Amino acid sequence: MGCKIIGWGKALPELVVTNDDLAKIVDTSDEWIVERTGIHARRISVNETTTDLASAAAEAALAKSGLAKEDIDLLICMTITPDAVVPSEACLVKMRLGLQNAIAFDLNAACSGCIYGLDVASSMIEASQGAGAGRRNPIKNALVVGVDRLSRITDWTDRATCVLFGDGAGAAVVSWDETAPGILSSFLHNTDDTALVLACDTIFDESTFPFGPTDGPVLVKEVAGLVEDGEEVALHPFIEMQGQAVYKFATSAMTEAAQMACERAGVSIDDVACIVPHQANERIIRYAAKKMHVPMERFQVSIGEVGNTSASSVLMALADAYDSGRINPGDKVLLAGFGGGLTYGSLLFVA
Ligand code: COA
């Protein structure tokens, strides 16, 4: 007995932005972007909100699961771009969909969101169904939704980052099943981002704050101790990234995460039918495949038309893998992701 993924879905904004479109905005080319990343196009939300995308993906996953709205006990939204601070994105989606019985909260693990969210949801289900039954909230069915609109925290004048990202949402329904082998293993890990290779400032409006003057906005570089006394740093509410450092972290994080999940489950990587990695860069996936001695055919690659969709990436790719028939009942499936924080992790389950 254990947790089973019984529904999946994804949602994308309407607007397609191709590499050639971006070449009109910044100094780049289709050739450079395709060669370095495998990305041809991405979807950008013009009028769709985070809640619109999350709700559409959640509804698709719910429909596939065959469950009714009242069956959902838990809703977790993984995002770094919620529509509001309060209510949380999960509360907004719960309201929109009318999930009367769900408890709802957000989780921020950046691009590792799908892995962290699925692990938290399945752990809460297992805890409430196992020895904890009667002592915990009874949770049988959970909806996990990864959603991001990185377009709103992207510096559209920075060619090194703006070509990489896209908007979207992915969702899955995780359910307790008395006959399912369940989640075989998971692995979550954080490594300190001491050099802030991936960062984005928050904006707080202090214009009515009566207890000042303050030192101004809290800047992540100051908090991380990367600024000398007296050094001027500007607020940067956009994703700032040191590409090569992130690339190095990503390739080793992905292979370590995949190995750890297999080791914990006592499963050989050769017995995994499908690997669904975070879709940050096709080159990172190819590098990891080579390092793991696994043929690319066993990796789900969905990045080409959507780019890096952050917290929704793995669940969107998982939906693609299910919908294209790559995942069959009984298959061992491995999810692996990495992201800002720095976070990384993996989850191994039987479909
Ligand atoms: N178009 C054209 N040229 C570009 C460019 C663009 N969009 N972006 C950067 N360049 C230039 C650079 O300015 C540099 O020029 P220079 O040699 O004259 O200085 C050159 O291309 C090489 O840049 P570099 O950063 O070394 O390229 P790269 O091969 O490392 O590829 C990334 C850049 C961002 C694609 C790659 O580092 C990467 O994928 N990193 C990981 C990103 C990631 O996964 N982020 C999300 C984590 S969740």
Side-chain angles (χ1 to χ4, degrees), residues 28 32 36 111 159 241 243-244 246 278 280-281 283-284 308:
T28 190
W32 191 96
R36 305 280 175 131
C111 297
R159 68 177 183 174
M241 189 183 71
Q244 285 186 4
V246 175
H278 172 40
N281 183 331
R283 265 167 66 214
I284 293 175
N308 178 350

Side-chain angles (χ1 to χ4, degrees), residues 19 30-42 163-164 279-284 286 301-307:
N19 293 343
D30 179 55
E31 195 189 0
W32 191 96
I33 301 170
V34 172
E35 192 191 310
R36 305 280 175 131
T37 69
I39 299 168
H40 297 268
R42 72 285 298 141
V163 301
L164 302 173
Q279 312 283 315
N281 183 331
E282 192 178 321
R283 265 167 66 214
I284 293 175
R286 289 191 178 280
V301 180
S302 296
I303 192 172
E305 301 304 314
V306 294

